[in-house]
Amino acid sequence: RISRLGIRKVFTGRGDLTVEVEVHLDDGWGRAIAPAGASRGKHEVKYFPDEGVDAAIDVFKRWVEPGLIGMDAVNQVAVDKKLEEIDGTWDFSKIGGAVAVATSMANVVAVADSKGLWPYQVIGGSLANVIPYPLGNTIGGGKHSRGLGPDYQEFLILPYGAPDIYTAVYTNMEVHREVGRILAKEDPTFAGGRNDEGAWTAKISTDKALEVLSSAVKEVSRRLGVEIGLGIDAASSSMWNGKAYVYTNEGRELTPREHFERIKSIIEKYDLIYIEDPFHEEDFQSFAELTALFKDRLIVGDDLFTTNPDRLAIGIREKATNAVLIKVDQIGTVTRAHETVRLALNNGYRIVVSHRSGDTESGLLAHIAVGFKAPIIKTGIMGSERVAKANELLRIWDHLSGVARMAKIK
Ligand code: PGA
Ligand code: ZN
């Protein structure tokens, strides 16, 4: 039974103001912080009410707290439905998605505490024993690098050949370090700068970034004997001006067709296995065309779906992608995100549980990924907000003492 709630203003690792919610039960408690995005999808729930964080706190005290007190916390669906009912809009524009998601996740943590379980067991049940591979961000561009890096937002690696989670995390760290070494050697202007997600920022082109990453991956893969795949998050909505894709770094604009061909040739040239948001968030058609061409690679929708089951349903109908990014905060509650996960899995889609660029010291995302049985967790590589999730995966691996196994990627 929920006996008391609390809320405070706190910060993400980027310094964004956000909220932390505490849920107290008769016999346990939990807290959670809402992360904050920078390249937000148009169809995400609203982060704060119009008046900002103070209004969110006010609304929480006035409506959310009295509404939830006395409820059975074990019934996560009922708690999350109550949040929807208190708000009354689909996109949480009254209480704000930050309040909704922090409350929903804190409830999971409180239930775990009261039952003597870990959060991943509350979300995924007693059979949750699959550890996701960490998808790591090595070089960054786009909005996360203030428009000064390459035009695509993220250059990613997936150590899918690692036999255990420790080796997977270590491999990502080693590639990140190696990329830094190569950049320092090849780019005289590189000063070791890292962006919002701890990825290296350098004034280089997309092709240069992929070349540097390819060499780093080759070197580390040979040294550690681990197979590593390459990927990108183009975050194309950030490049789309309504008519063309603006390549700021390259100083030119590409028509939708030229951009499509560019994406296609990059996938082939660098053998990418993971391609997120290659087109802007309304272009289901181009997604479908690309997915049909590259059936054996992960074509992933982030801004395209915004973890929204209705958006994903359109994607499934149009055969737009074969994977969906899951960010609980995009849709506001654990229950809603779970609904999207079920829809994805029932239709043969892969799921990738993801952090935000403005994330926190919390490791809860690791529990969400294991609980949702995701084969991949997108959580960056360097910086405490990113390492918090990786370290929590290491702890979960130990907690499963012997029955943990790595997800199947290929
Ligand atoms: P974000 O984007 O800045 O909105 O968190 C990250 C992503 O596009 O995956
Ligand atoms: Zn993305």
Side-chain angles (χ1 to χ4, degrees):
R1 209 186 57 98
I2 298 177
S3 56
R4 186 162 64 83
L5 292 107
I7 190 166
R8 68 176 59 84
K9 287 190 253 187
V10 293
F11 300 91
T12 71
R14 183 168 54 200
D16 315 291
L17 253 182
T18 185
V19 293
E20 174 173 80
V21 169
E22 288 183 10
V23 173
H24 293 263
L25 314 181
D26 298 329
D27 54 357
W29 75 289
R31 68 174 177 220
I33 309 179
S39 64
R40 287 187 184 140
K42 207 168 81 199
H43 302 279
E44 295 190 23
V45 296
K46 207 163 160 196
Y47 193 61
F48 285 141
D50 277 337
E51 302 76 19
V53 65
D54 290 314
I57 288 183
D58 189 51
V59 173
F60 179 89
K61 290 187 174 148
R62 213 159 344 151
W63 304 104
V64 179
E65 205 172 351
L68 295 189
I69 285 176
M71 286 191 81
D72 177 14
V74 173
N75 193 342
Q76 183 75 33
V77 175
V79 170
D80 289 344
K81 289 277 172 248
K82 188 75 185 179
L83 287 169
E84 290 178 1
E85 191 189 305
I86 290 168
D87 186 276
T89 67
W90 85 265
D91 64 349
F92 286 114
S93 54
K94 199 170 131 201
I95 67 171
V99 158
V101 78
T103 307
S104 178
M105 295 194 306
N107 189 70
V108 170
V109 179
V111 169
D113 186 43
S114 86
K115 289 188 168 182
L117 297 172
W118 282 29
Y120 76 89
Q121 297 170 308
V122 172
I123 298 169
S126 55
L127 294 177
N129 70 336
V130 178
I131 305 295
Y133 278 96
L135 176 71
N137 194 355
T138 60
I139 301 174
K143 278 194 179 164
H144 292 176
S145 299
R146 316 289 178 276
L148 294 172
D151 293 309
Y152 298 157
Q153 184 176 279
E154 299 164 28
F155 296 84
L156 304 159
I157 48 167
L158 187 68
Y160 63 84
D164 54 62
I165 187 63
Y166 171 80
T167 309
V169 171
Y170 181 66
T171 303
N172 278 358
M173 301 269 176
E174 285 294 282
V175 173
H176 190 281
R177 265 191 280 268
E178 183 62 23
V179 167
R181 270 194 286 267
I182 300 177
L183 285 173
K185 238 185 337 199
E186 296 199 2
D187 177 2
T189 68
F190 179 66
R194 296 193 331 206
N195 78 353
D196 285 356
E197 293 188 354
W200 300 113
T201 293
K203 269 193 165 176
I204 52 176
S205 68
T206 293
D207 272 288
K208 184 73 190 170
L210 284 163
E211 273 157 29
V212 169
L213 186 54
S214 295
S215 345
V217 157
K218 225 174 262 157
E219 153 64 20
V220 174
S221 181
R222 187 188 52 75
R223 182 153 48 83
L224 302 184
V226 172
E227 279 175 292
I228 306 164
L230 267 62
I232 54 165
D233 177 3
S236 295
S237 292
S238 304
M239 302 171 66
W240 178 244
N241 70 4
K243 281 200 201 85
Y245 290 93
V246 183
Y247 283 68
T248 311
N249 179 291
E250 296 174 22
R252 59 193 179 127
E253 292 185 4
L254 297 190
T255 66
R257 194 32 49 184
E258 287 166 343
H259 175 76
F260 184 99
E261 291 304 326
R262 180 73 186 277
I263 292 279
K264 178 168 171 266
S265 79
I266 281 176
I267 295 173
E268 285 164 348
K269 184 165 175 201
Y270 300 99
D271 197 18
L272 305 185
I273 63 164
Y274 180 100
I275 305 98
E276 179 179 327
D277 282 352
F279 310 108
H280 75 81
E281 61 210 328
E282 307 300 348
D283 190 1
F284 283 89
Q285 205 107 51
S286 294
F287 272 91
E289 204 180 316
L290 196 76
T291 301
L293 277 177
F294 297 105
K295 289 200 177 60
D296 55 341
R297 333 240 164 170
L298 288 160
I299 313 292
V300 189
D302 169 15
D303 292 344
L304 181 72
F305 298 134
T306 58
T307 317
N308 185 320
D310 298 335
R311 299 275 302 174
L312 179 61
I314 302 173
I316 289 167
R317 202 178 59 224
E318 311 255 326
K319 296 188 170 50
T321 72
N322 52 33
V324 52
L325 209 72
I326 302 291
K327 292 169 168 165
V328 180
D329 60 289
Q330 275 182 330
I331 190 70
T333 67
V334 174
T335 301
R336 280 183 174 183
H338 218 154
E339 200 184 313
T340 306
V341 166
R342 279 194 206 98
L343 182 65
L345 298 180
N346 288 340
N347 286 279
Y349 269 52
R350 294 295 193 87
I351 61 163
V352 179
V353 166
S354 169
H355 64 171
R356 299 306 301 244
S357 53
D359 216 292
T360 72
E361 73 277 14
S362 168
L364 188 60
L365 195 77
H367 292 268
I368 293 171
V370 175
F372 283 172
K373 303 177 175 69
I376 300 173
I377 180 171
K378 186 184 180 199
T379 176
I381 300 177
M382 293 288 184
S384 296
E385 312 98 273
R386 319 299 152 189
V387 175
K389 282 78 174 163
N391 283 346
E392 194 68 7
L393 288 171
L394 301 176
R395 294 185 194 105
I396 294 174
W397 178 274
D398 283 347
H399 188 245
L400 281 162
S401 61
V403 299
R405 56 182 182 80
M406 293 306 289
K408 259 209 183 71
I409 300 290
K410 287 209 160 178

